Amino acid sequence: MPGFPQQTSTSPQQGQADGPDRARAYKSRNKRPCDFCRYKKAACHLENKPPCELCIRYNKECTFLESPAKRRRPNHDSDGSNNMAKGSHPHEPHMNGSNMPLAFESYEPMSASTAHVDNLASHRLPEHVHMPHHSIDTSPTSQIAQLPASLHLPVDATSGEPSLDNQASSNAQIVGMSGEMDPYLLSRYRFDQYNEAAFQSIRLRKVNGGSLWDGSVPAFFTIAHNALAAKAQPGEKPDVMDKYRQDVDEMVSDDVGRRLIRLFFKYVQPYFPLLTREGRQERDESGIRDLNSIPTCILAAIYGHALPFCAWDEKLCVEVYTPPSADALFRIAWQACWPCIHTPSLAVLQTILLLVQRRPTNKYVSDTPMKWVMMNTAVSVAQALGLHRDPSAWPLPAWECKVRKRLAWATFVQDKWIALNFGRSSHIQADDWDVEPLVESDFADHDRGPEASVGFWGQHFIKLCELTVIVDDIMHKMFSLKATKALHGNLEATLEVAKPLRLRLTEWHQSLPVGLLPQRSAGINSPESGRRRSLQHELDGNGCLYLAYITAKIELFRAMLRPPMTDANTAAVTALRTGALTVAGEVTEFLEHLNARELEAFWTSYARTNFTIASSFMLLLFVTSPNLPDAKECLALLSGWRSLLRIKSRSCDLLNLALLRLDGVYVAGMERLIELSPAAVQAWAESAQSK
C-alpha cells in the first residue's frame, strides 16, 4: 500500500541486524521511544520490533540513535544555535527528504513531511535496519559511527540490479580520480554481492572496477547517511521545510496539481526531458499516485513551468480564474532546494535545471549573474552525482541509466548555451565529459505522448545535443580568449578554423528530420508534413531548436567578420558579408513565419538572448558596411527586423529584449552613439531625409 514500507531481499548484514532483542514493549520504562516519535512528540507504539506505527505511517527509518535531550531552561538562545537540541535529527534533517532522485520514478511514495519521490508498488524500499537497543552507545561522539552503514540499496524488480539513486536516507557521490580516495586502490578492495563495502559511516559502491583490457576507468561511489550533513550550513529547520510544502499545497490543490503535471509532460517534457514515468505499473493519467510523494522543490518548479499552458486543459481553462503565482512557486522551489545541496540527488539537479530554464522575471532586462551562479551549482551537483561519466555499462536498472544520460545532457546543453549567452567560458570541460550520445532508446516509452510518431520520439532533444556539441567547439575554437587573440587580426587563419565547423553545421541541418524543420520547409507530400497538418491546432515547440541553429551560424560569421578588411582580402570579406546577409535574412524569415501555436509553445530560456544576438548581428553588419549599396541593404534589413519585432513581441515576450536593444540605439541616435563607416553614415542620413 502507498506510504508503507515493503519487504525486500536483504544482505547478510541486514539479516544479522534483525534479532529477537530488537523487540520491546513500548511501555517498558527502561526503554525509550524512537528518534522520530521523540521528534514528533508522539507515542511510540511498537508491538514487536521496529518500525513503530508512526514510522510506518510516515515511511521513516525507525532508529534509536539519539540520546534523550537534556532538560533546558525555558530561556533558549535566540540565535538558533541549539537547533539539534530543539528537535533536529537524522530523520528530519534540513534536506526534507529530497535526496531521492526523481518525481515520477519507480519508487514507493513517501510522506509529505519528507516529500520523497513517487515509487512503484513493484519497486520496494529497503528494509529498516537497526542496532539492538541495549548495544547502542548514545553518547554524541558515537552516534556518527552507529549510523546504519549496512543499509543496502534496493533491488530493481524489472532488472534485478541494485539502484544507485534510490537512496531512502542516504546520498551517493562519485569518487574523483585525484581525491582522497584512489579509485585504483579501491579497485583492490573486497566487495560483497551488491558490489559494496561497508565502513563505519559510509558505504562504497563499485559500478566499474576498471580494466586494462578494455581501457575502462574505475568508478566508485560513496554512500553516506544524510544525518552526517544535518548540521551543514546553509540549512533550514524541518518546520520551515514543512511550511514550504504547506504553502505549495495551499496554492495548488491535488486535482489542479495533477492536471499541471500532465501539462508539463505534454508541453515541456518533449523539449526538456528531465523527468520520467518509465517502469510504473500502476499509475493514473498524471503518472503518479500521491502528490505528497514528490519533493517540494521539484513539484513547485513543475507547477511553475506548467502554468502557462493552463488554457490547454479542458478543466483549468475555465475553472482556474486566479492561477497561483509562478514567482511564488519558483521562489519556494529554490528555497526548498538550496539546503538539499548538502546531500545531492537527481531531484536536486532537476529542480535547479528547471529554475535555470525559467524565463527572466523582467522581460526588458538581461539575465542577472544569478543564473550563471545557478548553472555553476547545477554542474557541481551533476559532477558530484557522477553524471559526467557514462553509465551504460554500469550495473544499474535500465531506466536509471536513461535518466542519468538525459540529465547529463540536459546539464551540458544548459551550460553551453548559457555560456554563449553570457559570453563566458563553460563550466564543463571536454576532457572531463564522457557520456555517450543520446539515442531514441534513452527516452522512456511511458513519456511518449499520443502526438509522437514512430521514429520521432526524442529527436528534438537528440538533435539539440548534437548541435550543442558543435556550438561548444565554435565557442572554444573561435571565442575563447586565446582563440580570439590569435584569430581576430588574421582572416586566413580564421577561415581555416571556421571551415570544418561550417561543414559540421551544414551536415547537422541536412540530417534534421523534416518534422523538426519549420513548417514551410517541410515537403507538401512528406509523412511529417501530414503529421504537422494533423496537429495543426497543437502547440509546436521545435522553433527554439531551429533558432539555436541559426544562432550558431551567426556566431560563426561574427568571428569571421572580426578581421579588418584590407586590399588583399577584399574579395573574401565581400563574400563573407554576402553570406552574413543571407543568414540575417534567414532569421528574419524564420521570425516572420512563426505562428501563434509556435510562439505560445515551450521555448528554452536562452532563446530570448538568441533573438537579441540576431539584433546585435544585424546592427554590426550595418555599422561596418564597406559601400553604399551594402549599407542600404543592411539598413533595410535592420529596420525590417525592428518592425517585425514590434509586431511579434506583442504576443511573445521573448522578443522584448531584442527590440529594446534596437529601440535604444534608434532613439539615442545611431550616428551619435556608434562610430559608423562612411557608407553607413551616408545611408543613415539618406534614410532620415526620406522620413
Side-chain angles (χ1 to χ4, degrees):
M1 293 295 293
F4 289 85
Q6 306 292 319
Q7 298 297 317
T8 68
S9 57
T10 57
S11 66
Q13 293 94 322
Q14 287 175 288
Q16 293 169 4
D18 292 330
D21 56 352
R22 289 183 57 188
R24 67 165 174 82
Y26 164 69
K27 293 185 178 180
S28 177
R29 290 184 177 274
N30 61 341
K31 302 299 182 181
R32 54 191 175 84
C34 71
D35 299 329
F36 185 59
C37 287
R38 181 186 298 112
Y39 168 74
K40 288 290 187 181
K41 299 181 179 179
C44 187
H45 297 288
L46 189 61
E47 296 297 334
N48 183 22
K49 63 178 183 178
C52 67
E53 290 184 7
L54 193 65
C55 287
I56 290 175
R57 188 189 315 159
Y58 282 88
N59 225 334
K60 294 290 188 178
E61 286 185 76
C62 191
T63 58
F64 299 83
L65 304 178
E66 291 191 354
S67 58
K70 296 181 179 180
R71 295 184 179 275
R72 296 180 180 272
R73 296 181 180 275
N75 184 20
H76 294 288
D77 294 338
S78 59
D79 60 357
S81 60
N82 294 324
N83 287 345
M84 292 298 290
K86 296 177 182 178
S88 296
H89 62 90
H91 288 272
E92 289 275 355
H94 305 308
M95 316 322 153
N96 199 31
S98 60
N99 62 299
M100 303 282 280
L102 184 65
F104 322 106
E105 278 302 356
S106 52
Y107 306 121
E108 284 298 322
M110 300 295 183
S111 67
S113 61
T114 57
H116 281 311
V117 296
D118 195 30
N119 302 333
L120 271 179
S122 60
H123 296 200
R124 298 166 296 191
L125 292 172
E127 187 179 46
H128 293 286
V129 178
H130 307 284
M131 299 294 290
H133 304 163
H134 63 270
S135 63
I136 293 181
D137 179 4
T138 57
S139 62
T141 58
S142 69
Q143 290 184 20
I144 291 180
Q146 295 189 32
L147 291 173
S150 60
L151 182 63
H152 280 270
L153 300 179
V155 175
D156 184 80
T158 60
S159 65
E161 297 288 356
S163 170
L164 179 65
D165 299 308
N166 179 13
Q167 299 293 325
S169 56
S170 303
N171 63 92
Q173 300 183 43
I174 198 166
V175 175
M177 300 307 299
S178 63
E180 58 169 316
M181 296 184 180
D182 185 346
Y184 288 91
L185 171 61
L186 298 181
S187 64
R188 304 181 68 88
Y189 278 45
R190 300 183 187 276
F191 295 86
D192 62 16
Q193 71 270 33
Y194 295 93
N195 287 322
E196 290 188 358
F199 296 88
Q200 269 192 321
S201 57
I202 66 169
R203 307 193 316 274
L204 278 177
R205 172 81 185 282
K206 178 178 71 174
V207 293
N208 181 12
S211 172
L212 295 178
W213 301 106
D214 60 13
S216 62
V217 178
F220 295 85
F221 283 80
T222 61
I223 302 174
H225 200 283
N226 289 344
L228 293 174
K231 292 185 178 181
Q233 295 298 326
E236 196 58 88
K237 297 178 180 179
D239 57 340
V240 175
M241 302 296 279
D242 289 342
K243 181 61 166 59
Y244 294 151
R245 185 55 178 232
Q246 181 182 349
D247 291 342
V248 173
D249 292 341
E250 290 177 353
M251 283 190 284
V252 182
S253 67
D254 282 3
D255 178 63
V256 172
R258 292 176 184 277
R259 290 179 176 276
L260 290 176
I261 290 171
R262 287 196 293 270
L263 290 173
F264 182 95
F265 270 93
K266 185 174 183 180
Y267 295 114
V268 180
Q269 177 79 1
Y271 312 106
F272 198 49
L274 295 185
L275 311 180
T276 186
R277 294 176 291 195
E278 188 176 17
R280 293 193 55 84
Q281 295 179 354
E282 298 177 3
R283 68 182 190 273
D284 61 15
E285 293 179 351
S286 65
I288 59 171
R289 288 195 305 269
D290 184 9
L291 291 178
N292 289 333
S293 64
I294 306 174
T296 302
C297 55
I298 194 170
L299 186 64
I302 291 171
Y303 288 167
H305 277 285
L307 281 177
F309 305 104
C310 284
W312 282 265
D313 181 272
E314 291 300 329
K315 185 177 180 180
L316 300 185
C317 65
V318 294
E319 292 192 5
V320 181
Y321 297 106
T322 55
S325 167
D327 291 343
L329 287 168
F330 283 121
R331 182 170 59 252
I332 291 175
W334 175 247
Q335 291 171 332
C337 175
W338 183 248
C340 303
I341 296 176
H342 298 299
T343 54
S345 66
L346 297 187
V348 171
L349 177 61
Q350 290 166 320
T351 303
I352 299 175
L353 290 176
L354 287 176
L355 289 170
V356 172
Q357 191 63 268
R358 182 192 180 190
R359 292 184 182 183
T361 55
N362 190 330
K363 58 187 178 182
Y364 296 108
V365 178
S366 186
D367 292 318
T368 70
M370 184 60 181
K371 177 169 284 192
W372 186 249
V373 172
M374 292 174 67
M375 193 65 242
N376 184 27
T377 303
V379 172
S380 299
V381 172
Q383 291 174 336
L385 296 172
L387 295 184
H388 58 293
R389 301 284 299 272
D390 187 73
S392 301
W394 291 357
L396 298 176
W399 66 264
E400 197 162 318
C401 291
K402 295 177 185 180
V403 172
R404 282 183 151 262
K405 285 185 67 177
R406 295 205 309 271
L407 278 175
W409 279 106
T411 305
F412 183 91
V413 167
Q414 285 284 85
D415 179 60
K416 299 303 180 180
W417 282 101
I418 290 179
L420 182 148
N421 284 176
F422 277 95
R424 298 170 186 165
S425 56
S426 167
H427 298 105
I428 298 177
Q429 303 302 315
D431 290 344
D432 290 316
W433 182 258
D434 183 32
V435 183
E436 290 295 315
L438 290 171
V439 294
E440 188 170 334
S441 60
D442 290 321
F443 295 80
D445 289 338
H446 286 285
D447 298 337
R448 187 196 304 263
E451 68 278 4
S453 61
V454 176
F456 189 76
W457 176 237
Q459 284 299 312
H460 176 102
F461 195 65
I462 290 173
K463 301 306 292 185
L464 176 59
C465 293
E466 293 175 0
L467 177 63
T468 305
V469 171
I470 302 174
V471 168
D472 182 37
D473 286 341
I474 292 174
M475 298 301 294
H476 175 69
K477 295 179 180 180
M478 306 200 76
F479 286 93
S480 66
L481 288 178
K482 288 187 176 181
T484 301
K485 186 176 182 180
L487 299 177
H488 75 105
N490 190 330
L491 180 60
E492 182 178 353
T494 300
L495 295 178
E496 188 68 23
V497 174
K499 183 178 180 179
L501 296 170
R502 296 178 70 180
L503 180 61
R504 288 170 61 189
L505 274 180
T506 301
E507 292 174 345
W508 178 90
H509 181 259
Q510 292 174 346
S511 69
L512 204 61
V514 177
L516 298 184
L517 289 168
Q519 189 170 2
R520 64 187 181 280
S521 302
I524 296 177
N525 298 320
S526 68
E528 288 301 336
S529 176
R531 189 182 81 88
R532 284 290 186 96
R533 287 196 300 271
S534 66
L535 298 173
Q536 59 183 338
H537 300 300
E538 284 288 343
L539 297 182
D540 184 351
N542 290 310
C544 58
L545 176 63
Y546 204 79
L547 174 63
Y549 162 67
I550 299 175
T551 303
K553 292 202 294 185
I554 288 176
E555 293 294 332
L556 274 174
F557 276 101
R558 283 177 58 176
M560 291 186 292
L561 290 172
R562 286 182 308 208
M565 178 183 288
T566 64
D567 293 338
N569 65 16
T570 300
V573 172
T574 301
L576 281 177
R577 289 189 64 86
T578 300
L581 283 168
T582 300
V583 174
E586 184 178 355
V587 70
T588 301
E589 183 183 4
F590 166 76
L591 178 58
E592 185 176 6
H593 286 85
L594 285 179
N595 54 41
R597 68 188 187 89
E598 293 168 318
L599 291 172
E600 293 295 328
F602 173 79
W603 288 79
T604 55
S605 62
Y606 49 81
R608 175 175 179 259
T609 305
N610 288 350
F611 280 117
T612 310
I613 287 173
S615 291
S616 177
F617 181 61
M618 293 185 196
L619 184 59
L620 172 69
L621 290 178
F622 171 66
V623 302
T624 58
S625 299
N627 54 63
L628 186 58
D630 184 289
K632 289 183 176 181
E633 183 179 1
C634 290
L635 182 58
L637 189 64
L638 181 64
S639 299
W641 172 254
R642 184 189 179 202
S643 298
L644 186 59
L645 287 174
R646 281 179 171 173
I647 296 172
K648 295 287 186 176
S649 63
R650 303 292 294 178
S651 57
C652 182
D653 59 7
L654 285 172
L655 303 173
N656 286 300
L657 186 62
L659 176 61
L660 180 66
R661 291 289 187 259
L662 290 182
D663 283 345
V665 172
Y666 273 78
V667 172
M670 189 180 302
E671 75 284 2
R672 296 191 299 272
L673 187 65
I674 303 176
E675 181 182 348
L676 306 178
S677 69
V681 170
Q682 184 176 351
W684 180 261
E686 292 181 3
S687 175
Q689 291 174 359
S690 63
K691 293 180 181 179

